[in-house]
Amino acid sequence: MASDPVKDLADEPVDHRFKGLPPDAQAHGLTVGQLAAQRRDLFDGGYTTPVLTLDSDALEHNLRALGAYAARHDLAFAPHGKTCMSPQLFRRQLDHGAWGITAAVPHQARVYRAFGIQRIFLANELVDAAALHWVAAELAADPGFRFVCYVDSVRGVQLMDRALRGQPAVVDVVIELGAGEGARTGARTDEDCRAVADAVAGAAALRLVGVAGYEAEVPDADPDRVHAYLRRLTGLAVEFDKAGRFDADLDEIVVSAGGSAWFDAVADVFAELPELSRPVLKLLRSGAYVSHDHGWYTRLTPFNRHPEEGGLRPAFRLWTQVVSRPSPTQAFVNAGKRDIAYDLGLPTAELVRDPLDGTERPATGVRVVKLSDQHAWLETDTADTLQVGDWVALGMSHPCTIFEKWPLIPVVEGDGTVTDYVRTFF
């Protein structure tokens, strides 16, 4: 029987590669699975600070919430894997109904394939010849593998077609409609999209299967602007279908969008799509929901606009320790830029835990004001707010840049029991 690469992660040794884990686990030669089986307590089980944790209940809640949302709105779901790059979380997303996993770059797609992902949507134009050769070889070797990527320029189509000449497979592509001037990638106008479609029609190694975009890049995004952009996207799908631009051999037409801030707008507009000549794969790509966060996405989640649809819970908690208290209003904890996501805002202090008696209290009067490489600068209201040795839990914003700093993350139950470890690959 072939081994399961996801389950095989439990056989990795616990060693110096993994921050925060108990040093005695390495001394005793434990594997990740053996350490998990011990169900140690986070606070007295030998873990060192700083240590990032994932709340098991919040993870399961979030996985169920988006899986149910997509099903309720008749959307296929390919969450963006760059958010976590964790094969275990990919498996759980698929178990909750995901169609496949979205990638941004070829390396991510290679990680996905190493762990058995059968459907990959690459939300970028792929013009790297070596990567295209790899994709073609994967498609040829596995008839059950589905791969789709963006195209947004005539030159990109030409480069892809040239790189794929003589390769053993044709690559499926969707035309990316840009979200407007000043946005990120994508063909800017409908006429540009038509020109790219014409180029794909003349490329023997490519097959046009749909249209896609990313609504979070709409300049000065608000509900009206985002809905208008998405209607341009679906309108392009309707036009291309009537004009016979999609490949004649398709079983379905792909229409895709969806970050983590406007998936309600995607659901609204995709529901308006008229019947096309073939079934439509309405593909949502939101990814940050898995862990959610304590800042950026907490403010932007569509569940704030539609609380009747559900909600998400922050799953991350970074436990740090006060290592210096040089003044009544200043304290330093032992985690900084190497441990903390800070590109979308500084972390927030959530809890303080007394290391002597284990009592916890809200981090009232504690603020993170600055980060150094290995320290967070805290400001406190009073001299007795914090003591050296106190554990301080930080909540962070932007999951994409949290996961990449922690290659093995303890999954913790509400009582502090560590039940599993999530492996990441960046």
Side-chain angles (χ1 to χ4, degrees):
M1 180 182 295
S3 65
D4 182 334
V6 176
K7 291 182 178 178
D8 289 347
L9 291 171
D11 297 330
E12 279 196 278
V14 178
D15 58 25
H16 60 276
R17 293 172 297 165
F18 305 127
K19 299 187 288 186
L21 299 195
D24 69 280
Q26 179 176 358
H28 290 102
L30 297 183
T31 65
V32 173
Q34 289 168 337
L35 182 59
Q38 292 183 353
R39 295 178 62 87
R40 296 193 186 192
D41 184 83
L42 179 69
F43 303 106
D44 62 18
Y47 296 86
T48 64
T49 56
V51 58
L52 181 68
T53 65
L54 284 165
D55 181 282
S56 61
D57 290 340
L59 271 179
E60 181 62 23
H61 170 85
N62 294 345
L63 289 164
R64 289 181 182 275
L66 254 291
Y69 184 90
R72 191 160 57 246
H73 290 277
D74 194 28
L75 298 169
F77 190 31
H80 213 313
K82 72 176 177 64
T83 304
C84 63
M85 286 303 292
S86 168
Q88 292 138 298
L89 295 182
F90 298 159
R91 175 71 58 84
R92 292 179 68 176
Q93 289 171 315
L94 294 169
D95 288 345
H96 282 83
W99 171 90
I101 306 294
T102 296
V105 293
H107 162 70
Q108 293 168 0
R110 290 180 61 198
V111 172
Y112 300 176
R113 288 298 286 161
F115 290 93
I117 302 301
Q118 286 293 91
R119 292 171 175 162
I120 297 174
F121 186 101
L122 195 147
N124 244 334
E125 187 167 69
L126 182 57
V127 293
D128 183 312
L132 286 164
H133 294 170
W134 173 80
V135 169
E138 289 288 304
L139 290 167
D142 182 358
F145 175 41
R146 179 84 192 275
F147 178 88
V148 181
C149 73
Y150 280 176
V151 289
D152 76 353
S153 66
V154 171
R155 178 169 171 80
V157 169
Q158 293 169 343
L159 289 170
M160 293 177 73
D161 189 44
R162 178 175 178 176
L164 289 166
R165 288 176 193 168
Q167 296 299 309
V170 171
V171 172
D172 287 349
V173 298
V174 292
I175 292 176
E176 183 194 8
L177 173 67
E181 290 302 323
R184 202 156 59 190
T185 57
R188 288 295 188 257
T189 68
D190 291 3
E191 190 55 42
D192 290 339
C193 291
R194 296 182 192 107
V196 176
D198 289 341
V200 174
L206 302 178
R207 186 172 77 146
L208 184 60
V209 302
V211 297
Y214 180 47
E215 72 291 338
E217 286 293 311
V218 170
D220 301 316
D222 63 22
D224 289 341
R225 290 186 177 93
V226 171
H227 279 76
Y229 163 72
L230 290 166
R231 290 190 176 103
R232 282 187 60 207
L233 181 68
T234 55
L236 199 65
V238 172
E239 175 195 321
F240 278 19
D241 185 48
K242 287 181 179 178
R245 290 184 177 275
F246 298 126
D247 193 276
D249 295 332
L250 292 186
D251 295 325
E252 61 186 7
I253 295 168
V254 178
V255 181
S256 179
S260 294
W262 295 100
F263 55 74
D264 55 332
V266 175
D268 289 345
V269 175
F270 281 16
E272 300 170 355
L273 255 172
E275 185 175 340
L276 301 185
S277 63
R278 279 148 288 185
V280 178
L281 181 71
K282 302 174 184 178
L283 193 60
L284 184 69
R285 305 194 308 272
S286 311
Y289 78 100
V290 177
S291 59
H292 201 43
D293 71 1
H294 289 81
W296 184 259
Y297 288 110
T298 295
R299 293 189 295 272
L300 295 180
T301 177
F303 289 130
N304 290 339
R305 295 186 288 272
H306 304 282
E308 74 282 359
E309 290 270 23
L312 299 172
R313 301 176 188 169
F316 277 120
R317 182 163 282 165
L318 179 65
W319 284 100
T320 67
Q321 201 163 17
V322 178
V323 293
S324 182
R325 192 74 162 99
S327 79
T329 59
Q330 192 175 38
F332 291 86
V333 293
N334 59 347
K337 294 178 181 178
R338 298 181 186 277
D339 313 295
I340 295 169
Y342 57 92
D343 57 313
L344 293 179
L346 292 173
T348 56
E350 301 287 326
L351 289 173
V352 178
R353 181 183 177 89
D354 189 311
L356 299 179
D357 61 17
T359 57
E360 293 182 2
R361 61 186 186 275
T364 306
V366 181
R367 294 167 295 280
V368 180
V369 295
K370 183 178 176 181
L371 296 178
S372 298
D373 286 348
Q374 303 288 183
H375 293 96
W377 299 51
L378 306 187
E379 181 181 79
T380 60
D381 286 346
T382 64
D384 58 359
T385 304
L386 290 176
Q387 302 295 326
V388 169
D390 283 348
W391 286 45
V392 180
L394 302 181
M396 293 172 291
S397 185
H398 200 190
C400 301
T401 52
I402 300 172
F403 275 103
E404 70 181 33
K405 298 174 186 292
W406 293 86
L408 192 64
I409 306 170
V411 179
V412 183
E413 294 185 341
D415 65 358
T417 303
V418 178
T419 59
D420 200 1
Y421 296 85
V422 165
R423 185 73 160 92
T424 66
F425 292 85
F426 281 91

